[in-house]
Amino acid sequence: MPTELNGSDMQHPDPRLEPAPFGGVVADTVAESTPWWAPAVRPGDGAPNIVMIVLDDVGYGQIGCYGAATHTPAMNALAADGARFANFHVTGLCSTTRSSLLTGRNHHAVGVGFLADFDTGFPGYRGAVTPRAATLAEMLRDGGYGTYAVGKWHLTPPAHMTPAGPFHQWPTGRGFDRYYGFLWGEDDQWAPDLWQDQHHVEPPRRDGYHLSEDLVDRAQRYVADHVSAAPDRPFFLYLAFGACHAPHQAPREYLERYRGRFDHGWDVEREHTLQRQIALGVVPPGTTLPPPNEGVANWADLDGDQHRLYARMQEVFAGFMEHTDAQIGRLVEYLRGIGELDNTLLVVLSDNGASGEGGADGSANEYRYFLGLADRFEDALEQIDELGGPATHNHYPSGWAQAGNTPLKLYKKHTFGGGVRAPLIVHWPGRIAAPGTVRTQFHHVIDVLPTVLQAAGVQAPASYRGVPQLPVHGTSMLYTLDEPGTTGRRRQQYFETAGHRGIYRDGWKAVTTHLPGTPFDTDRFELYRLDEDFAELHDLAAEHPAIVADLVTAWWDDARAYGVLPLDDRMQSRVAVKDPAWARTRYRLLPGARLANGPAGPDFAGRHFTVTARLERHRPGDDGVLLAYGRRAAGFSFFVADGRLSLDLNLAGRHTVVTAPEPLALGPAAVALTLAGDHSGAEAAFTVDGVEVHRAPVPAVLPAGLGCLSLQCGHNSPSPVSPHYEPPFTFAGTLHEVLIDLGPTVTEPHPAADRPLAMD
């Protein structure tokens, strides 16, 4: 008799999905049997390709079609043929916005209440997206899409950033079929630390290499492969630039285009930007500028050298922005050329407002600020002609970030408009009513996912891989594309970042800034009628105390509902909060190994340590790196040059080089570097087979805050810590192993609880 099979042991065409019951008949012979194949998963007819482009640290007024003086023809053209949103909001930081963008849920609810770099031990602050929140890539892939991620990720906990994984929070573990980019929050545009799928890769070796160009090259490759192999299936491309996050770096010809363009200063530029914004319709008529942010000087009060340096820093940023726009233009023209643009829903947004982390003077190397090191104006002035190139890791002054957020208050990380109101451009040929017009309905980044799902005809699952799912918190914005002037459908949204809080409801916004270390119950909430006061300029709290009280109560209700609590105002000091399971004081590395710092690798910050290398030099030229920690911007390198043991301690571009007086003998040896001391002074010592051969003073032990850095054994690439060798400077002899022993920590001389972080 024929036997019916239920298919429980049969493999579905996509093994990631639950197996489908077998629909045929299996008998004794093939002649008596009926074959069956599971139907291919396909989205509905007309489902568009999805291209999502995420800019980094780009303020509301830093794109041409939002009023910037910067030349951005590609994004301007997308806006002219699509829709711009003037009332779109994000979370205020990169990891948090990305978690909401890709899940459609509030960031605390999915476990990313702060940066992905930290797990503080509370449900809302795990630093990774919970499996209870399937990503857009997971949903679209199961709906038949090909899914590809290129660029910045910043949703993988540092403890997982190893070649051994675990990989379930990497892009390929969260729904993307292929990935190429960098996992941290920022990277060097000239020499980035890149990963492909689940393994490290070196950047292409070519003259003039730049990360943004490389990312678009790879995006085009992924699209070409998909369209060639699966022309009947749409694709989802997630392209997240490192631009325009610091370091601000771009090809010299782009920087030269802006020489002298900002000599009038940030005060005049704010005024000009506001005039353009009103003319473009992205800011209402009658809007006026708020007073300067605290710490921003009047341009007229600065001297000639300050004018020269600060204007140059803005020229570099503008060139970086235009170069990024050119890469977006390349991608758009590629899609047009292969006939895919007309069936593509393309979204461009920024993750938060412009960054004020450059401080009053900006910096030629932002790591000095993050590490709490003195950053002298004279140092940046000396490097003025190198800004934007590979020798600097530069960031502009906060005055230019203020201008970039025109007409809004404050910056990235704040819950005022300068932190959370962001540009959003939507382009979908033939599907947008009144192309080129501006949408003014209040919306939030959690609304992007339901918009895309509705366009694609894909349903958010109630359960994913056996895990019950959180409800999608967002509201589709698709209605705004059909009816530009219709009433908005999102009534309420809370905000919170590192203790800064806010809530929007029905046109009102209550908002407060928080001083780290002070009681939260002393915070004063301001009140704005957001639909009448774009710049949050007229505080109405004294006139409407009942509305303030009602909104604050609503904020606490949302905070409890979405996992915001406990309130946490720590910034730099979150570095010290670690899962005890990751506490290690000894590491053994083999040649070629690469580890991220943090839980996955040794934490050298503020402590004594010894690095021991077991090696053999077979000939006089057997030189090379034994252990390197960091990149050109900061770190240290223990290496052999001209046969001599050497240390380059790179404190954010300030190099202290220690070299042994005598070369190593040929043959086997155990060589060691010990660094001991405190933040006011330290000593480096070299030993060979247990015998000290040299000792010298160095400025300090390594300070806290060295994020985004990797540890490399036996080589240093692609960005060298030391200028005394060319990468990768692989050790030419035999390197058996490198041992790292971490000693006691020392107390920092200045508390760092409110110092911003290098990884956001």
Side-chain angles (χ1 to χ4, degrees):
M1 294 290 295
T3 303
E4 297 280 354
L5 297 182
N6 64 15
S8 60
D9 295 323
M10 308 297 288
Q11 180 172 302
H12 190 276
D14 186 344
R16 296 168 300 206
L17 307 179
E18 291 296 324
F22 182 68
V25 176
V26 176
D28 291 342
T29 68
V30 71
E32 302 171 276
S33 303
T34 303
W36 177 86
W37 293 268
V41 178
R42 293 287 185 269
D45 292 340
N49 304 313
I50 308 297
V51 174
M52 191 176 290
I53 298 174
V54 183
L55 303 172
D56 203 335
D57 286 6
V58 172
Y60 186 80
Q62 289 183 317
I63 302 173
C65 56
Y66 280 85
T70 312
H71 189 54
T72 57
M75 286 185 280
N76 295 354
L78 292 173
D81 292 336
R84 277 165 297 167
F85 287 73
N87 205 359
F88 178 73
H89 294 74
V90 291
T91 68
L93 280 180
C94 54
S95 291
T96 54
T97 288
R98 289 156 208 270
S99 69
S100 291
L101 176 66
L102 289 173
T103 67
R105 285 92 165 185
N106 286 307
H107 56 295
H108 298 90
V110 303
V112 190
F114 195 63
L115 300 177
D117 308 81
F118 309 107
D119 177 352
T120 64
F122 298 103
Y125 301 90
R126 288 300 183 191
V129 174
T130 174
R132 297 180 61 218
T135 69
L136 179 60
E138 289 169 326
M139 297 179 197
L140 291 179
R141 185 174 67 182
D142 289 3
Y145 276 72
T147 56
Y148 310 101
V150 177
K152 173 174 171 174
W153 182 240
H154 210 192
L155 289 173
T156 298
H160 296 189
M161 289 185 198
T162 79
F167 298 112
H168 59 280
Q169 292 292 354
W170 287 48
T172 51
R174 294 311 308 250
F176 288 102
D177 295 320
R178 301 173 75 179
Y179 171 67
Y180 180 83
F182 60 101
L183 296 172
W184 282 102
E186 67 166 55
D187 219 318
D188 188 319
Q189 299 290 312
W190 302 112
D193 202 7
L194 294 175
W195 298 82
Q196 181 175 340
D197 299 330
Q198 297 171 352
H199 62 277
H200 187 269
V201 293
E202 292 291 309
R205 293 190 177 276
R206 61 172 182 250
D207 290 341
Y209 171 90
H210 191 280
L211 175 60
S212 296
E213 298 172 11
D214 187 18
L215 296 179
V216 171
D217 290 346
R218 185 59 58 119
Q220 292 178 355
R221 173 70 58 83
Y222 284 168
V223 169
D225 288 348
H226 177 92
V227 171
S228 299
D232 57 335
R233 294 171 53 214
F235 58 83
F236 169 37
L237 171 65
Y238 176 76
L239 170 58
F241 286 102
C244 284
H245 194 295
H248 301 155
Q249 298 169 324
R252 183 61 52 184
E253 61 268 25
Y254 282 87
L255 312 187
E256 296 290 345
R257 295 175 187 179
Y258 290 91
R259 287 289 181 263
R261 294 276 296 277
F262 300 103
D263 287 353
H264 50 256
W266 48 62
D267 296 324
V268 171
E269 188 60 27
R270 283 179 88 199
E271 296 171 359
H272 290 175
T273 300
L274 179 59
Q275 293 168 7
R276 290 188 293 261
Q277 289 174 325
I278 292 173
L280 289 166
V282 295
V283 170
T287 300
T288 58
L289 292 171
N293 295 328
E294 184 179 355
V296 175
N298 293 323
W299 186 263
D301 294 336
L302 302 175
D303 64 29
D305 280 345
Q306 290 172 312
H307 286 165
R308 189 162 62 95
L309 176 63
Y310 301 161
R312 179 67 61 85
M313 288 176 164
Q314 172 64 6
E315 292 168 8
V316 170
F317 177 86
F320 194 18
M321 188 77 253
E322 181 175 341
H323 178 257
T324 306
D325 180 80
Q327 308 321 307
I328 293 173
R330 283 206 302 130
L331 178 62
V332 170
E333 289 309 307
Y334 177 77
L335 294 172
R336 192 191 314 276
I338 63 173
E340 293 293 337
L341 184 62
D342 286 348
N343 188 40
T344 295
L345 170 58
L346 194 151
V347 178
V348 182
L349 72 153
S350 177
D351 59 356
N352 46 246
S355 168
E357 292 157 338
D361 293 324
S363 180
N365 187 328
E366 63 168 345
Y367 272 94
R368 294 171 192 157
Y369 180 61
F370 294 128
L371 299 176
L373 302 174
D375 194 2
R376 298 184 307 151
F377 172 86
E378 293 76 13
D379 292 341
L381 190 62
E382 288 176 4
Q383 291 186 276
I384 188 170
D385 292 326
E386 298 180 74
L387 295 175
T392 57
H393 205 84
N394 48 290
H395 195 303
Y396 58 13
S398 55
W400 287 117
Q402 173 183 268
N405 285 330
T406 300
L408 308 169
K409 292 180 182 177
L410 298 178
Y411 316 101
K412 163 187 177 178
K413 89 178 179 182
H414 292 281
T415 48
F416 278 88
V420 298
R421 192 187 289 250
L424 170 69
I425 301 168
V426 177
H427 183 269
W428 194 7
R431 297 298 302 271
I432 296 178
T437 54
V438 175
R439 273 59 175 173
T440 59
Q441 299 88 349
F442 178 94
H443 275 288
H444 187 263
V445 66
I446 59 175
D447 300 331
V448 175
L449 178 140
T451 304
V452 170
L453 291 184
Q454 185 180 357
V458 173
Q459 295 291 322
S463 178
Y464 185 76
R465 298 186 184 176
V467 178
Q469 294 291 286
L470 295 170
V472 170
H473 300 144
T475 299
S476 173
M477 300 183 290
L478 211 59
Y479 72 97
T480 67
L481 304 185
D482 298 327
E483 302 177 71
T486 191
T487 302
R489 297 179 183 176
R490 167 164 288 286
R491 295 192 56 204
Q492 181 168 311
Q493 178 61 44
Y494 82 90
F495 300 91
E496 192 278 337
T497 300
H500 302 305
R501 292 175 282 167
I503 186 166
Y504 167 90
R505 187 171 68 189
D506 293 336
W508 292 98
K509 182 180 177 184
V511 61
T512 183
T513 55
H514 175 76
L515 181 63
T518 63
F520 287 99
D521 58 11
T522 63
D523 293 344
R524 178 186 174 275
F525 277 85
E526 301 172 29
L527 180 68
Y528 299 96
R529 185 68 191 178
L530 204 60
D531 52 358
E532 299 173 359
D533 184 6
F534 191 97
E536 300 171 12
L537 185 57
H538 305 290
D539 180 11
L540 303 176
E543 299 174 36
H544 301 285
I547 295 177
V548 175
D550 192 35
L551 287 173
V552 171
T553 297
W555 186 91
W556 282 102
D557 289 342
D558 278 358
R560 295 183 183 96
Y562 295 116
V564 179
L565 307 180
L567 281 172
D568 190 344
D569 60 2
R570 294 169 298 173
M571 292 293 286
Q572 183 70 47
S573 59
R574 294 193 196 216
V575 174
V577 181
K578 295 181 179 178
D579 183 345
W582 291 102
R584 292 171 60 186
T585 58
R586 168 163 270 228
Y587 292 78
R588 175 176 180 258
L589 280 73
L590 300 179
R594 180 184 295 264
L595 295 177
N597 81 313
D603 184 359
F604 297 104
R607 68 197 310 168
H608 304 175
F609 63 85
T610 298
V611 177
T612 304
R614 290 201 313 109
L615 56 82
E616 291 184 57
R617 297 182 71 243
H618 308 290
R619 58 192 66 83
D622 283 351
D623 296 339
V625 170
L626 304 177
L627 186 80
Y629 171 54
R631 54 163 60 140
R632 185 182 286 111
F636 75 88
S637 182
F638 181 34
F639 59 98
V640 180
D642 296 326
R644 292 172 170 81
L645 292 175
S646 298
L647 164 70
D648 190 332
L649 180 61
N650 176 358
L651 294 178
R654 298 183 180 123
H655 295 264
T656 300
V657 179
V658 177
T659 302
E662 300 295 331
L664 289 169
L666 299 183
V671 302
L673 158 71
T674 296
L675 188 69
D678 57 28
H679 293 284
S680 61
E683 285 190 318
F686 297 140
T687 62
V688 178
D689 294 328
V691 178
E692 184 174 305
V693 296
H694 189 58
R695 178 178 291 268
V698 295
V701 295
L702 271 71
L706 281 173
C708 311
L709 302 183
S710 66
L711 186 71
Q712 301 152 56
C713 180
H715 69 290
N716 184 199
S717 69
S719 178
V721 172
S722 175
H724 295 283
Y725 53 77
E726 292 295 323
F729 201 39
T730 303
F731 184 67
T734 301
L735 181 60
H736 298 289
E737 64 180 5
V738 172
L739 303 175
I740 300 170
D741 291 285
L742 301 177
T745 58
V746 295
T747 303
E748 274 202 90
H750 305 292
D754 61 348
R755 195 164 73 225
L757 295 151
M759 302 84 90
D760 59 352

